[in-house]
Amino acid sequence: MIRQYELVERVKAYDPSADEDLLNRAYVYSMKAHGSQTRASGDPYFLHPLEVAGILTQMKLDAGTIATALLHDTVEDTVATLEDIERVFGKEIARLVDGVTKLSRLELNSEQAKQAENFRKLVLAMSEDIRVLLVKLADRLHNMRTLFHLKKPEKRRRIARETIEIYSPLAERIGMHKIKDELDDLAFAELNPDARDSILAQLARLRSEGENRVQTIITELRELLAAEGLPDVSVTGREKSAYSIWRKLQRKNVSFEQLSDIMAFRITVGTVGECYQALGIVHAHYPVVPGRFKDYISTPKPNGYRSLHTGVIGPGRNRIEVQIRTQDMHEIAELGVAAHWAYKQDHQPRPTGGEYRWLRELLDILEHAQKPEEFLEHTKLELFQDQVFCFTPKGDLIALPRGATPVDFAYAVHSQVGDHCVGAKINGRMLPLRTQLQNGDQVDIVTSKAQTPVPGWERFVVTGKARARIRKFLRTQQRAQYMELGRGMLMRQFKSEGYEFTEKALENAAKIFQQPTVDDLMAGVGSGLHSVREVFHAVFPGHKAQAAPALRETEESAPKPKAKNRKESALPIRGLIPGMAVHYARCCHPLPGDRIVGIVTTGKGVTIHTIDCETLESFHESPERWIDVSWETGPDSPEEHVGRISVVIANEQGSLGTLFTVIGKNQGNVIHQKITNRSTDYFELLIDIDVKDAKHLTNIMAALRATPAIHSVERARGR
């Protein structure tokens, strides 16, 4: 156990002006507050906050952070209150302690929800002061070091998984690679001990066979640099951690024997110029592995990390990774943001959470997520991915996860830019919005005030911020459409039963269905959550329908329901966004001019089918789900629809070009085509075409049939 005077001496060693009285009071207060409490190991509980404080002294953090570490569990696990902490230690320490508190008193529906809600609070707290995260990471590190004392395997695994999915990526994001590596290794030992033991055994075998290859390579690199004019350099080497090797094995899908770059060497020099000089020397003497060079000095990582990385076929034909940096860069690489808190004579301004773009983006996700679990999902997306670095037209650097698209880039620039994005120029060329960005791309986003987020974007965006914004917009739009649809369905039901529809009549039904408002009830009806009949009978429980049996008998006896040609009974469907409250079935691709019917589908609203669609056979036993709909089109209706045709075309030179030319000349726009069969004589294709209505598609088909190269054209059904 660290003695009181030892802790104070540790802090005073790197910060002579540290508040000694604050440290002494925090030490005594925490020890008395935890009293006789013990941990799962049987050790006094006070040992835990003391060890957390000890970890933070190794990072040379200020006295306020050390005091927070000593006090971080007092509010949660003892009778002490936040008011007590504020009275004794002041507002700043109380705020930090409150930010670190685990909030275990929250009563949420699931362990995942509880974890997510705790993480939300952590993000809010660390956005105000990044020291909250530093204490939390030290707290998690000590808990992981003592994890084996917990008796329940499922609890150990849950904590380890939370560590590797959330806290390890957070440590990496603020540049604390030393803590990240230890958290990863401790979690890996719990989650996959067999794999870890296997990798450690393989490393031990390589060491025994290689006769200390690491030291041999270090010696050769040091002698080479000295001979070329860099005598005062430090060269160190290490094997990569078991977990990082495991990640590589998974990512590259290779065996351990095939993985050659398991050794990393660090060259530490005096100046930035010497970094590039050392790089030139290494590249001049050893073959470079293509694609492995990264310059994080000219383009630092968002967490401030700076270094040169390269891969070479080094001494003894060993494939190695070499990192070249200055001593200052090394301190930031090991301690990240904590290096900025280390005591300095000039008392430079210290960082706050607001300096980190990724932290602001987490706050943005927090604002737009609907529930804690969704926030946690988006956050994992945001934290746990490799990065690409792209530039705005003005040269500003934007860091994004690997696989990001121009839509992700647009949302990273600003939420409004993302919402109104209609296109993107990548390195001066207009490219599709689903294009994956590469390192160094310059991206210019084209916007339009008329544009809104599109449902299809969610399928290819990878950042949590973009996904959260798109989902929020779709939820807002979807609810409005569900509500209008539900209102129309209820009005029709009331009218058919001889009652006048009023929203006031639905107030009691909303309570019965446990909906907060009448609007929520109507949205539930529109989404298929509640049936129209259930709601109607909740409003009029004594009502006996007279026409219902005859209607059911008629519907069941008919081979297929007929769409009535009555505008007054039809629900409008024009202008609705596909994929939301009302969308068009892909099994039959209905077009204006086709006779159509609507089917209420739980969670999707209404799906529009053509009246002769074979899929309707499966809904004959549920006549209450059928809705009489019709097209409401006119000259002011510019919306285009997708028509699908099946084409058999001669396998001749130029026939495909003729096919698409004919479609284009008839004002059709091909959006997708697929070859379904191919022979020496003919091709069979499915082609999706943007058309105005069924008549437009018929005209295109007629033009195609008149083309000699085309054998047959039919309107296609099915996916």
Side-chain angles (χ1 to χ4, degrees):
M1 179 184 289
I2 305 172
R3 303 290 182 183
Q4 184 175 341
Y5 72 89
E6 291 175 339
L7 181 68
V8 174
E9 286 179 355
R10 284 192 190 184
V11 179
K12 297 281 280 187
Y14 60 81
D15 184 1
S17 64
D19 189 339
E20 187 174 339
D21 179 59
L22 172 64
L23 294 170
N24 284 323
R25 285 187 292 119
Y27 189 103
V28 174
Y29 189 97
S30 179
M31 183 169 60
K32 287 183 177 179
H34 288 293
S36 59
Q37 290 178 339
T38 57
R39 287 169 60 84
S41 61
D43 294 328
Y45 194 97
F46 174 62
L47 187 62
H48 167 65
L50 191 57
E51 288 295 330
V52 172
I55 292 170
L56 294 174
T57 60
Q58 295 170 14
M59 302 178 201
K60 300 181 179 180
L61 293 179
D62 64 313
T65 310
I66 306 301
T68 301
L70 291 169
L71 299 166
H72 78 273
D73 273 341
T74 53
V75 174
E76 181 186 357
D77 293 328
T78 76
V79 295
T81 65
L82 201 59
E83 289 74 21
D84 295 334
I85 300 295
E86 184 174 336
R87 186 182 69 255
V88 178
F89 298 99
K91 287 185 177 181
E92 181 184 12
I93 302 299
R95 177 173 51 80
L96 290 171
V97 170
D98 186 38
V100 182
T101 299
K102 296 171 186 171
L103 305 164
S104 59
R105 299 187 190 93
L106 285 171
E107 294 181 4
L108 296 170
N109 295 329
S110 67
E111 191 63 44
Q112 185 186 15
K114 179 177 176 179
Q115 177 200 52
E117 184 62 29
N118 288 345
F119 190 54
R120 285 166 66 109
K121 296 296 177 70
L122 174 62
V123 169
L124 286 171
M126 70 189 186
S127 68
E128 297 175 2
D129 195 322
I130 201 71
R131 288 179 293 173
V132 168
L133 179 56
L134 301 182
V135 178
K136 189 68 177 176
L137 288 174
D139 170 52
R140 178 54 60 119
L141 180 58
H142 184 252
N143 281 333
M144 289 300 297
R145 287 174 177 174
T146 57
L147 186 66
F148 62 91
H149 289 299
L150 296 179
K151 294 180 180 179
K152 295 182 178 179
E154 62 274 12
K155 186 174 183 180
R156 293 199 305 270
R157 291 182 66 81
R158 177 183 62 77
I159 293 172
R161 187 169 291 108
E162 183 181 73
T163 298
I164 215 163
E165 289 182 351
I166 294 177
Y167 291 98
S168 168
L170 278 173
E172 183 177 33
R173 273 302 179 98
I174 59 173
M176 302 180 71
H177 290 89
K178 191 173 182 180
I179 283 186
K180 174 199 177 300
D181 289 342
E182 187 174 354
L183 288 174
D184 281 339
D185 192 56
L186 291 168
F188 186 43
E190 179 60 45
L191 294 172
N192 204 335
D194 293 340
R196 181 175 180 271
D197 291 343
S198 174
I199 291 171
L200 292 176
Q202 295 272 39
L203 289 172
R205 178 179 59 79
L206 286 177
R207 280 195 297 272
S208 64
E209 293 175 356
E211 297 178 355
N212 202 1
R213 284 187 299 172
V214 172
Q215 189 55 48
T216 302
I217 294 171
I218 288 174
T219 301
E220 184 169 329
L221 285 173
R222 188 180 293 122
E223 291 174 352
L224 171 65
L225 292 166
E228 295 290 339
L230 286 176
D232 299 323
V233 300
S234 167
V235 182
T236 57
R238 62 178 176 84
E239 294 164 339
K240 292 189 176 180
S241 69
Y243 181 68
S244 68
I245 292 174
W246 173 252
R247 289 286 308 280
K248 276 184 177 291
L249 293 175
Q250 287 184 313
R251 188 166 61 246
K252 296 186 176 182
N253 197 25
V254 296
S255 64
F256 187 90
E257 288 72 19
Q258 294 171 292
L259 193 67
S260 50
D261 55 341
I262 59 174
M263 291 183 289
F265 295 85
R266 183 181 306 118
I267 298 172
T268 308
V269 296
T271 66
V272 172
E274 289 178 348
C275 288
Y276 290 99
Q277 185 181 348
L279 177 71
I281 294 169
V282 171
H283 280 186
H285 285 79
Y286 302 113
V288 178
V289 179
R292 294 301 305 274
F293 173 66
K294 295 183 178 69
D295 186 345
Y296 293 121
I297 293 180
S298 65
T299 309
K301 289 186 177 183
N303 58 23
Y305 178 88
R306 300 175 72 208
S307 184
L308 297 176
H309 288 197
T310 189
V312 297
I313 308 298
R317 304 299 297 171
N318 290 299
R319 182 171 169 173
I320 60 174
E321 179 183 297
V322 180
Q323 301 170 358
I324 306 172
R325 60 182 68 150
T326 65
Q327 184 60 37
D328 286 345
M329 293 177 192
H330 177 61
E331 286 184 14
I332 294 174
E334 290 293 297
L335 298 176
V337 64
H340 298 292
W341 281 93
Y343 177 78
K344 299 183 187 300
Q345 293 295 331
D346 54 4
H347 293 284
Q348 295 175 350
R350 290 167 171 173
T352 64
E355 292 182 57
Y356 292 87
R357 183 190 191 102
W358 62 271
L359 192 51
R360 295 197 300 274
E361 290 180 352
L362 288 191
L363 288 173
D364 196 73
I365 294 171
L366 179 62
E367 179 185 346
H368 294 102
Q370 186 179 26
K371 51 189 177 180
E373 293 93 328
E374 187 176 304
F375 169 68
L376 190 61
E377 171 201 342
H378 296 330
T379 302
K380 288 177 183 176
L381 286 174
E382 196 72 19
L383 290 175
F384 207 60
Q385 298 194 35
D386 294 332
Q387 292 185 307
V388 294
F389 300 93
C390 303
F391 296 90
T392 68
K394 293 182 179 179
D396 295 331
L397 181 67
I398 303 290
L400 295 164
R402 182 77 58 184
T405 65
V407 176
D408 296 295
F409 183 94
Y411 277 109
V413 172
H414 195 279
S415 298
Q416 293 299 318
V417 175
D419 286 346
H420 301 305
C421 170
V422 292
K425 287 183 180 179
I426 302 176
N427 302 324
R429 293 176 55 211
M430 284 296 295
L431 291 173
L433 289 176
R434 61 170 58 248
T435 304
Q436 291 193 3
L437 299 175
Q438 304 299 321
N439 270 318
D441 281 348
Q442 185 182 73
V443 186
D444 186 4
I445 300 297
V446 181
T447 60
S448 167
K449 291 183 178 179
Q451 176 71 354
T452 57
V454 176
W457 289 357
E458 197 180 343
R459 291 195 294 270
F460 58 76
V461 296
V462 299
T463 57
K465 179 179 180 181
R467 190 160 294 179
R469 288 282 304 193
I470 294 165
R471 284 187 179 178
K472 182 180 181 183
F473 175 82
L474 295 183
R475 279 196 302 268
T476 304
Q477 292 290 97
Q478 189 179 57
R479 186 179 184 280
Q481 293 191 7
Y482 281 161
M483 199 171 71
E484 287 304 309
L485 177 62
R487 181 194 300 274
M489 294 167 68
L490 287 167
M491 288 176 68
R492 189 179 64 168
Q493 180 71 22
F494 274 54
K495 185 177 180 180
S496 68
E497 298 291 352
Y499 291 91
E500 183 182 353
F501 174 82
T502 63
E503 291 190 14
K504 187 168 181 62
L506 296 175
E507 291 178 356
N508 189 52
K511 296 176 183 177
I512 294 173
F513 287 96
Q514 298 181 334
Q515 294 288 356
T517 66
V518 170
D519 286 349
D520 291 308
L521 178 63
M522 290 191 293
V525 172
S527 67
L529 182 64
H530 310 302
S531 76
V532 178
R533 290 183 182 181
E534 288 174 344
V535 175
F536 178 79
H537 287 300
V539 178
F540 303 106
H543 177 77
K544 293 183 180 180
Q546 299 298 322
L551 176 63
R552 180 177 292 275
E553 184 179 345
T554 302
E555 289 175 331
E556 290 181 348
S557 61
K560 287 188 176 73
K562 304 285 185 179
K564 301 175 182 65
N565 189 22
R566 294 201 309 267
K567 284 285 180 184
E568 64 272 16
S569 64
L571 297 175
I573 60 174
R574 180 176 63 83
L576 296 171
I577 299 173
M580 296 183 67
V582 175
H583 63 280
Y584 309 116
R586 296 185 62 193
C587 51
C588 55
H589 293 277
L591 297 172
D594 292 330
R595 296 175 63 202
I596 55 174
V597 68
I599 300 293
V600 177
T601 308
T602 302
K604 290 187 178 180
V606 173
T607 304
I608 305 300
H609 295 263
T610 59
I611 199 68
D612 58 349
C613 178
E614 294 181 2
T615 305
L616 297 178
E617 296 283 355
S618 59
F619 297 105
H620 274 174
E621 301 302 319
S622 308
E624 69 277 2
R625 295 174 65 179
W626 294 66
I627 298 178
D628 183 15
V629 293
S630 66
W631 299 102
E632 188 179 298
T633 57
D636 60 340
S637 172
E639 183 183 7
E640 292 193 330
H641 300 261
V642 177
R644 175 170 290 185
I645 59 174
S646 173
V647 181
V648 178
I649 186 171
N651 187 1
E652 298 173 356
Q653 185 175 1
S655 58
L656 276 176
T658 302
L659 168 68
F660 295 130
T661 299
V662 171
I663 293 173
K665 283 183 176 179
N666 286 272
Q667 287 77 51
N669 179 38
V670 176
I671 60 172
H672 183 261
Q673 64 93 15
K674 177 182 179 183
I675 297 174
T676 58
N677 195 13
R678 178 184 300 176
S679 68
T680 54
D681 299 322
Y682 293 102
F683 277 29
E684 294 181 21
L685 301 93
L686 283 177
I687 303 177
D688 289 346
I689 309 173
D690 268 342
V691 292
K692 295 177 182 177
D693 50 31
K695 184 178 180 181
H696 186 188
L697 184 64
T698 302
N699 290 340
I700 292 174
M701 292 168 63
L704 291 173
R705 289 188 180 115
T707 306
I710 295 169
H711 184 264
S712 67
V713 182
E714 302 292 339
R715 188 160 170 193
R717 304 291 187 185
R719 294 184 182 277

